[in-house]
Amino acid sequence: DIQMTQSPSSVSASVGDRVTITCRASQGISSWLAWYQQKPGKAPKLLIYAASSLQSGVPSRFSGSGSGTDFTLTISSLQPEDFATYYCQQANSFFTWTFGQGTKVEIK
Amino acid sequence: EVQLVESGGGLVQPGRSLRLSCTASGFTFGDYAMSWVRQAPGKGLEWVGFIRSKAYGGTTEYAASVKGRFTISRDDSKSIAYLQMNSLKTEDTAVYYCTRILMRFGQHWGQGTLVTVSS
């Protein structure tokens, strides 16, 4: 099974900061990676799919990059509504999904 | 507007069964694969399984942790996806979300339904 490792597990940042979250796959997954945002008590929300494609309606301050085993989610200028937990998800095989353990973005 | 509404959660004893429903609206349900994802209290996301559209055979795939106990089905005439959960264990306690799949990713998510397995 493909394992997904996110880092860091948490990050403290201020409004306006640039925040970068990384996700590493235990084997190559091409560009079959998504990023989700989840706020407390709410369902996850798709931000980025296919490693770098921005989901409709998602602000352009969110961007994704990478392929193979190493991927990055970047928030270019953190906004108050961006404080949440972020998950990566691999879908290299159409037979199984795997999520990373999550990265909590907290107010500094 | 795409809407997914889960229902059927509740408190159930270990070893018993429960069926969750995901009622869809705002799109042609039969055209899409659907997935179930769960989240134990205070934990991360765990994929449960998915069902392909009828155009792709309507076949299913499951996580190892639920294979043989859980069954996903769909009724395209009613725009509902189901998750039948048998032989429930305490570790199945979680919020269960259904998702509409786009290119192997969860594009739209329901609000979730809580399943608590406890004696």
Side-chain angles (χ1 to χ4, degrees):
Chain A
D1 288 2
I2 300 174
Q3 306 302 317
M4 305 301 293
T5 303
Q6 280 182 241
S7 61
S9 55
S10 66
V11 57
S12 294
S14 301
V15 172
D17 284 353
R18 182 182 184 90
V19 173
T20 300
I21 300 168
T22 64
C23 185
R24 174 164 289 177
S26 59
Q27 64 188 73
I29 59 170
S30 185
S31 296
W32 291 109
L33 185 105
W35 291 96
Y36 300 89
Q37 176 194 66
Q38 187 179 34
K39 297 181 180 179
K42 301 294 186 182
K45 173 186 175 183
L46 179 66
L47 300 176
I48 302 287
Y49 63 96
S52 59
S53 295
L54 192 68
Q55 170 66 1
S56 176
V58 174
S60 58
R61 62 181 180 273
F62 292 93
S63 65
S65 64
S67 67
T69 59
D70 294 309
F71 300 87
T72 299
L73 173 70
T74 299
I75 309 172
S76 60
S77 178
L78 197 65
Q79 297 302 300
E81 59 268 30
D82 300 337
F83 291 97
T85 299
Y86 293 83
Y87 294 93
C88 63
Q89 174 235 326
Q90 72 82 19
N92 184 60
S93 166
F94 204 23
F95 300 100
T96 185
W97 290 358
T98 314
F99 290 92
Q101 78 277 18
T103 295
K104 188 173 184 179
V105 177
E106 301 175 298
I107 301 172
K108 192 171 187 178
Chain B
E1 180 192 4
V2 172
Q3 284 199 321
L4 299 170
V5 179
E6 301 92 338
S7 59
L11 175 64
V12 61
Q13 293 178 326
R16 304 296 293 264
S17 299
L18 201 63
R19 188 179 78 163
L20 306 183
S21 299
C22 170
T23 303
S25 60
F27 65 99
T28 303
F29 179 76
D31 288 349
Y32 289 86
M34 300 294 294
S35 182
W36 288 90
V37 174
R38 68 184 181 183
Q39 187 170 36
K43 302 297 184 183
L45 301 171
E46 180 188 16
W47 173 71
V48 172
F50 52 61
I51 185 165
R52 297 177 178 85
S53 66
K54 289 290 193 324
Y56 289 89
T59 52
T60 54
E61 307 292 345
Y62 300 96
S65 58
V66 305
K67 196 168 187 177
R69 299 189 299 123
F70 289 12
T71 302
I72 298 173
S73 60
R74 62 190 301 154
D75 185 336
D76 291 350
S77 68
K78 296 181 179 178
S79 297
I80 300 177
Y82 299 101
L83 178 63
Q84 177 68 43
M85 304 183 294
N86 298 333
S87 304
L88 282 161
K89 306 175 181 180
T90 55
E91 52 264 40
D92 295 319
T93 293
V95 173
Y96 284 74
Y97 297 100
C98 70
T99 77
R100 189 186 87 169
I101 294 175
L102 168 70
M103 283 184 60
R104 305 189 191 178
F105 305 110
Q107 182 187 32
H108 292 281
W109 296 62
Q111 85 288 348
T113 187
L114 176 63
V115 173
T116 303
V117 184
S118 174
S119 55

